[in-house]
Amino acid sequence: MKKHFRKPHTILLLILLLFATIGSANTLRVALDGTQPYASIQTAINASANTDTVLVYPGRYYENIRFYGKNITLASLDLTTGILDYKYSTILDGSSNGPVVVVKDNESNVTIRGFSITNGSGTYADVYDTTVGGGINISRLSGQRICNIINCLVYGNNADLGGGVRVSAGNLTLSGVSIVNNFGKSGGGLVFQGGYSMNFSIFFDPVNRCNIYNNKAAFGCEMYFYLVDQVHVVVDTFTVATPSNFYASAVPASSNIENPYTFDILHSVHTETNHDLYVSTWGDDTNSGLSAGYPLKTIFQAVYNIASDADN
């Protein structure tokens, strides 16, 4: 049998093409002090291409960031060092001027890793006549619709729908994410919107667990899921050990499903009170509210504190 060998120059060309493919993804480095090629995150994103990484050095970046269709990884030095503390020292501050991070231009695969994300105020969505996505707003994805949020602290953000994080029609992975002290009307911490015609998923990392607690909203303090029939929430810390729909609200796609949630919670930070509570304009929300002499100040705090009891 006759053997066929490639010519040396053909083999060399294949090797060069292989190295070109491997080396095609670039790392664009950002630092406030001018020691790196870029001083702003948005400038680096604008210069990036698909599969690139925008690597951000520690500092407080007063920016409202948009991916503009780039399928990239946006990360702090947590990505390259494995040091989780970089999420505390690398801060994305939205200055109450809209969402801190926006992904809504037909991206198909994006990753946000290792940041504190704060002071976002959401963007107006005319279809809902309300603001959405205070800290992170992800929608209008295409293709695989993959979005990964890893080792981030999302806090102090505000929007009517999804005070901390809002994801619409995407496949979301949350790993090591803390969503705390955000505010909204629906889904103070997290809003996830699915759909009738396609199945969209959310995955909570069971090893590098998330924390979702102390968020505030009139409907679903911690989370609100829309048109999703099954949600398995795996976290280290949640506000309460056994969440009611006050904390986790949902509108499933199927009319046969009343509650799509199952929970795997290791710790909680709030113990509800099975007792009548008193509220007065001269009260204080740090009071117990257990007597007329020590009333709470707001009705919301009373609803937040009181335990659901079907028998009483």
Side-chain angles (χ1 to χ4, degrees):
M1 181 176 179
K2 187 175 181 181
K3 294 183 179 180
H4 297 276
F5 294 94
R6 295 183 183 272
K7 295 180 180 180
H9 68 272
T10 303
I11 296 173
L12 178 60
L13 179 60
L14 290 172
I15 293 173
L16 290 173
L17 287 172
L18 176 62
F19 275 100
T21 302
I22 295 173
S24 61
N26 296 315
T27 298
L28 294 81
R29 300 175 185 271
V30 183
L32 291 171
D33 61 7
T35 58
Q36 301 301 323
Y38 298 92
S40 80
I41 297 170
Q42 190 62 62
T43 303
I45 290 175
N46 293 347
S48 70
N50 288 339
T51 75
D52 282 353
T53 296
V54 174
L55 189 65
V56 183
Y57 284 65
R60 194 176 195 101
Y61 295 81
Y62 293 94
E63 298 190 49
N64 300 90
I65 299 159
R66 188 161 176 170
F67 277 45
Y68 287 113
K70 307 294 182 67
N71 295 314
I72 60 173
T73 295
L74 175 65
S76 73
L77 296 185
D78 164 58
L79 175 67
T80 55
T81 67
I83 299 174
L84 293 177
D85 283 350
Y86 278 114
K87 74 178 178 183
Y88 301 112
S89 60
T90 314
I91 304 163
L92 310 182
D93 190 323
S95 302
S96 298
N97 190 33
V100 184
V101 180
V102 174
V103 180
K104 57 178 299 185
D105 297 288
N106 296 306
E107 295 88 351
S108 63
N109 193 330
V110 299
T111 296
I112 303 164
R113 175 168 179 164
F115 297 100
S116 288
I117 296 172
T118 189
N119 289 331
S121 58
T123 187
Y124 177 75
D126 54 4
V127 67
Y128 306 116
D129 189 26
T130 194
T131 58
V132 300
I136 300 174
N137 183 33
I138 299 175
S139 64
R140 299 178 186 173
L141 300 171
S142 65
Q144 295 176 298
R145 300 173 182 256
I146 294 172
C147 40
N148 306 300
I149 306 175
I150 304 169
N151 296 344
C152 286
L153 170 59
V154 183
Y155 73 98
N157 302 284
N158 190 343
D160 293 336
L161 186 65
V165 178
R166 177 249 185 171
V167 176
S168 176
N171 298 302
L172 173 65
T173 293
L174 293 175
S175 177
V177 178
S178 293
I179 304 174
V180 299
N181 296 326
N182 301 283
F183 301 88
K185 291 181 180 178
S186 298
L190 168 67
V191 163
F192 187 91
Q193 297 171 277
Y196 288 113
S197 59
M198 295 180 65
N199 293 322
F200 301 103
S201 66
I202 182 168
F203 174 75
F204 291 87
D205 190 333
V207 177
N208 187 23
R209 292 195 175 212
C210 298
N211 305 289
I212 305 176
Y213 61 89
N214 285 353
N215 300 285
K216 301 292 192 299
F219 187 71
C221 282
E222 309 307 332
M223 54 181 59
Y224 168 47
F225 277 70
Y226 182 68
L227 301 184
V228 178
D229 287 339
Q230 187 174 10
V231 185
H232 185 48
V233 180
V234 182
V235 293
D236 181 276
T237 304
F238 203 80
T239 299
V240 293
T242 307
S244 65
N245 62 2
F246 178 73
Y247 300 97
S249 299
V251 177
S254 172
S255 59
N256 298 322
I257 296 175
E258 183 176 347
N259 182 3
Y261 291 107
T262 55
F263 290 94
D264 180 349
I265 299 169
L266 299 182
H267 307 97
S268 60
V269 297
H270 176 53
T271 301
E272 296 173 305
T273 303
N274 194 350
H275 194 282
D276 291 339
L277 297 177
Y278 294 81
V279 179
S280 173
T281 55
W282 55 265
D284 192 315
D285 280 345
T286 62
N287 288 342
S288 68
L290 296 176
S291 70
Y294 295 94
L296 299 164
K297 184 176 179 63
T298 65
I299 296 171
F300 177 86
Q301 192 64 42
V303 176
Y304 186 76
N305 287 359
I306 203 166
S308 298
D309 187 347
D311 298 325
N312 183 9

